[in-house]
Amino acid sequence: QKEVEQDPGPLSVPEGAIVSLNCTYSNSAFQYFMWYRQYSRKGPELLMYTYSSGNKEDGRFTAQVDKSSKYISLFIRDSQPSDSATYLCAMSEMFSGGYNKLIFGAGTRLAVHP
Amino acid sequence: DVKVTQSSRYLVKRTGEKVFLECVQDMDHENMFWYRQDPGLGLRLIYFSYDVKMKEKGDIPEGYSVSREKKERFSLILESASTNQTSMYLCASAEQGYTFGSGTRLTVV
């Protein structure tokens, strides 16, 4: 079993839809949870990060962490064609680039069509 | 903003060639990483470095080596390229959170 599981999609939605992206994980020591967005032929860019359980909102994006269920989600409201990308979840035991490396999900490909 | 620059966007190399992938960051970060990204497998860590001349193996180091002679530069070396090393290679630099380069798409023929 992989440490982090993420449905690869693809997920296709109409413009304006609410999108839900999810990951599950097995390591209960994970404390920091991140979402990266990767456009085609580009490197991933950090979209949001959260610490421990709870919600975090940034504009149209909301990240949720449920540590009891080992489940994290990213919601995108009023989705736009410019949101079309691959979304990768990532997590670590510490929010640091040191020994506690990030573990990534495989990524979910999202297409928002006009 | 931190900038991570990978020297090549696309590379085509022959089987058995020695290949160098270069990565430079401009924010004095201690930690740098090399990943490869393959469809369905996501990002897999090859090597990382937390200081000059220091290196640690990641999850898939076989067939690769690295060099970190200066803080800003982290090089990935394929000693003898093979077709199963055809992939997208991503370098990252980290302080809090990772900043990735744009990637090098390597094809080994």
Side-chain angles (χ1 to χ4, degrees):
Chain A
Q1 184 191 4
K2 291 182 183 177
E3 263 189 297
V4 179
E5 298 277 1
Q6 183 176 10
D7 188 334
L11 187 60
S12 182
V13 301
E15 184 174 355
I18 296 174
V19 176
S20 172
L21 304 166
N22 311 293
C23 288
T24 58
Y25 63 95
S26 56
N27 184 353
S28 57
F30 286 145
Q31 295 189 70
Y32 293 91
F33 304 91
M34 281 142 269
W35 286 95
Y36 284 79
R37 178 176 60 195
Q38 185 176 21
Y39 290 115
S40 182
R41 293 185 291 279
K42 297 280 190 181
E45 55 178 339
L46 181 64
L47 196 58
M48 296 188 73
Y49 77 89
T50 52
Y51 170 70
S52 195
S53 285
N55 293 1
K56 186 172 183 178
E57 191 172 317
D58 183 2
R60 296 184 296 109
F61 298 89
T62 299
Q64 281 187 356
V65 175
D66 181 350
K67 289 189 74 179
S68 62
S69 301
K70 297 192 181 71
Y71 188 89
I72 69 170
S73 300
L74 178 71
F75 297 97
I76 307 174
R77 290 183 298 282
D78 187 26
S79 56
Q80 303 295 309
S82 58
D83 295 327
S84 298
T86 296
Y87 290 80
L88 301 108
C89 63
M91 45 201 81
S92 74
E93 296 178 20
M94 287 178 59
F95 192 44
S96 162
Y99 291 97
N100 294 283
K101 61 186 187 288
L102 279 184
I103 308 298
F104 286 87
T108 299
R109 194 151 49 96
L110 170 68
V112 181
H113 51 87
Chain B
D1 279 352
V2 177
K3 193 168 180 183
V4 178
T5 304
Q6 294 185 231
S7 54
S8 305
R9 292 297 305 275
Y10 300 95
L11 274 179
V12 180
K13 295 292 181 180
R14 295 195 181 278
T15 301
E17 274 194 79
K18 191 169 186 175
V19 182
F20 293 86
L21 303 182
E22 305 287 344
C23 176
V24 177
Q25 52 101 354
D26 65 0
M27 280 297 289
D28 203 36
H29 284 174
E30 304 273 330
N31 308 297
M32 297 187 75
F33 304 80
W34 275 105
Y35 285 86
R36 63 178 282 178
Q37 186 176 30
D38 300 288
L41 298 176
L43 277 81
R44 293 180 291 166
L45 182 63
I46 305 171
Y47 266 97
F48 66 102
S49 169
Y50 51 90
D51 202 353
V52 176
K53 297 192 187 294
M54 305 301 286
K55 60 185 179 184
E56 292 281 340
K57 291 180 180 179
D59 300 317
I60 51 162
E62 297 78 21
Y64 303 94
S65 62
V66 290
S67 172
R68 184 117 181 251
E69 295 296 320
K70 293 185 178 181
K71 195 173 188 179
E72 67 270 18
R73 186 179 297 268
F74 192 34
S75 303
L76 180 69
I77 303 153
L78 286 67
E79 297 291 342
S80 177
S82 63
T83 54
N84 63 12
Q85 292 178 310
T86 291
S87 186
M88 167 72 97
Y89 289 88
L90 288 161
C91 174
S93 168
E95 193 71 24
Q96 285 190 335
Y98 285 35
T99 301
F100 284 89
S102 292
T104 296
R105 186 163 294 282
L106 172 68
T107 302
V108 182
V109 298

